[in-house]
Amino acid sequence: MNPLLLDRLLQIAELFQKDMARAFDGTGLTPARVHLLWVLQHAGPSTQQALAKLCAVSPRNITGLVDGLESSGHVRRTPHPTDRRAVLVELTPSAVTTMTRMQQEHVELNETLISAIAPEDRDAVERGVTALAEHLAVLVAEAESAT
Amino acid sequence: MNPLLLDRLLQIAELFQKDMARAFDGTGLTPARVHLLWVLQHAGPSTQQALAKLCAVSPRNITGLVDGLESSGHVRRTPHPTDRRAVLVELTPSAVTTMTRMQQEHVELNETLISAIAPEDRDAVERGVTALAEHLAVLVAEAESAT
DNA sequence: TATTGTTATACTCTATAACTATA
DNA sequence: TATAGTTATAGAGTATAACAATA
């Protein structure tokens, strides 16, 4: 008997986690910190409040993550130009370099994955996976609003 | 421009995590503990050493997870019949009920997901996702053996 | 009065190393 | 001597609540 589609997807999710965890193994980075770096690269310099919302995590947690990334030289805290309560968190130049490399590897992995799919199945997979992501997003949003 | 296939898959992985975390929210269960319960349901009564290997986690960690699940009444420690060093961990009857219900919901979610895919795309998605899982498994295995 | 970030406190998951009781 | 599990210790990620400085 063949495994459920759901199990395949869960397996893929687990393998991604393993693969990414090992990718920045030895760099001192962790999944939560890398996620914050990604958010920073996309959003640009941001207040910790903004980062807390984008990461869907408590402000207190952001303090801890930024503390760690500041110690390791990946981000810098600078004063907010107009609001003296707030700080702006931004990537250091070396972190920008790191994130650029990670983005390249990301695109390469994407190409590797596509090449693993039979050419005649690629369009259907693209459509199907998009439909799955949208459907799941609706399910999660419904469950959240029910809370 | 349309998002990369990789980004779609990562999004699905993230939504799964959210969905599952909320599914056993309020039950006192956590992802790591639910994972252990799944392993126990599939493997039956097991020593903690065996569980550590199946979960790919340190024996010490299993001690902590079993402590928590014992407190919450999900598992029981019983003496090993022939090896007085070891204990057997097994699901309590109420946890068996819980896991059976979770398995039903799992199958239902699978059907919901399939219904989100256009019927003419389903076979291709099944093949494509299987190919992706296998390809990723090879990539991860290679990376591990390189370490 | 509301917002930004931090200190205080606590819990879970995770690991390694040392130790105890048994094999 | 090797194995099963626990104690000891440590660090990351997470949360809530109280508090200071500022808006």
Side-chain angles (χ1 to χ4, degrees):
Chain A
M1 75 170 236
N2 57 336
L4 303 180
L5 175 62
L6 175 52
D7 288 322
R8 291 289 193 204
L9 290 170
L10 288 171
Q11 187 191 357
I12 288 173
E14 198 176 322
L15 288 167
F16 272 144
Q17 275 177 248
K18 258 197 197 170
D19 186 58
M20 290 189 292
R22 219 185 355 61
F24 41 76
D25 204 33
T27 66
L29 289 171
T30 61
R33 291 179 189 183
V34 170
H35 182 228
L36 183 50
L37 292 179
W38 265 109
V39 167
L40 273 172
Q41 201 193 23
H42 290 134
S46 310
T47 66
Q48 295 189 184
Q49 287 292 331
L51 295 174
K53 274 160 201 153
L54 289 169
C55 293
V57 108
S58 72
R60 175 61 184 92
N61 198 353
I62 295 293
T63 297
L65 294 172
V66 171
D67 284 351
L69 288 168
E70 207 174 27
S71 297
S72 58
H74 291 93
V75 306
R76 223 169 9 195
R77 279 182 171 104
T78 61
H80 191 287
T82 65
D83 187 340
R84 283 197 296 173
R85 294 171 305 181
V87 298
L88 285 179
V89 182
E90 61 183 9
L91 295 177
T92 59
S94 86
V96 170
T97 306
T98 302
M99 294 313 291
T100 303
R101 186 174 42 69
M102 281 186 65
Q103 194 152 17
Q104 283 167 0
E105 287 168 2
H106 186 82
V107 172
E108 282 163 20
L109 177 56
N110 183 63
E111 282 159 10
T112 303
L113 290 180
I114 287 175
S115 76
I117 304 170
E120 66 274 20
D121 288 343
R122 283 173 198 166
D123 285 350
V125 170
E126 195 99 26
R127 280 192 302 271
V129 165
T130 301
L132 285 172
E134 279 165 13
H135 194 75
L136 262 173
V138 171
L139 285 183
V140 168
E142 275 172 5
E144 259 166 14
S145 69
T147 311
Chain B
M1 77 164 232
N2 58 337
L4 302 180
L5 174 64
L6 175 52
D7 288 321
R8 292 289 193 205
L9 291 170
L10 288 171
Q11 187 191 356
I12 289 173
E14 199 175 322
L15 289 167
F16 272 143
Q17 275 178 248
K18 260 198 197 170
D19 186 58
M20 290 189 292
R22 218 191 356 62
F24 40 77
D25 204 31
T27 66
L29 289 171
T30 60
R33 290 179 191 184
V34 170
H35 182 227
L36 182 50
L37 291 180
W38 266 108
V39 167
L40 273 172
Q41 201 192 23
H42 289 133
S46 310
T47 65
Q48 296 191 182
Q49 287 292 331
L51 295 175
K53 273 159 202 155
L54 289 169
C55 294
V57 107
S58 72
R60 176 61 185 91
N61 198 354
I62 295 293
T63 297
L65 294 172
V66 171
D67 284 350
L69 288 168
E70 206 174 28
S71 298
S72 58
H74 291 94
V75 305
R76 223 171 9 198
R77 280 182 169 104
T78 60
H80 190 287
T82 64
D83 187 339
R84 283 197 296 173
R85 293 170 305 179
V87 298
L88 284 181
V89 182
E90 62 183 7
L91 295 177
T92 60
S94 85
V96 170
T97 305
T98 303
M99 295 314 292
T100 302
R101 185 173 43 68
M102 282 187 67
Q103 192 152 20
Q104 282 166 1
E105 287 168 2
H106 186 81
V107 172
E108 283 163 21
L109 177 56
N110 183 63
E111 281 158 11
T112 303
L113 290 179
I114 287 175
S115 76
I117 305 171
E120 67 272 20
D121 288 343
R122 284 173 196 167
D123 285 351
V125 170
E126 195 98 28
R127 281 193 301 270
V129 165
T130 301
L132 285 172
E134 279 165 12
H135 195 74
L136 262 173
V138 170
L139 285 183
V140 168
E142 274 172 4
E144 258 166 13
S145 70
T147 309

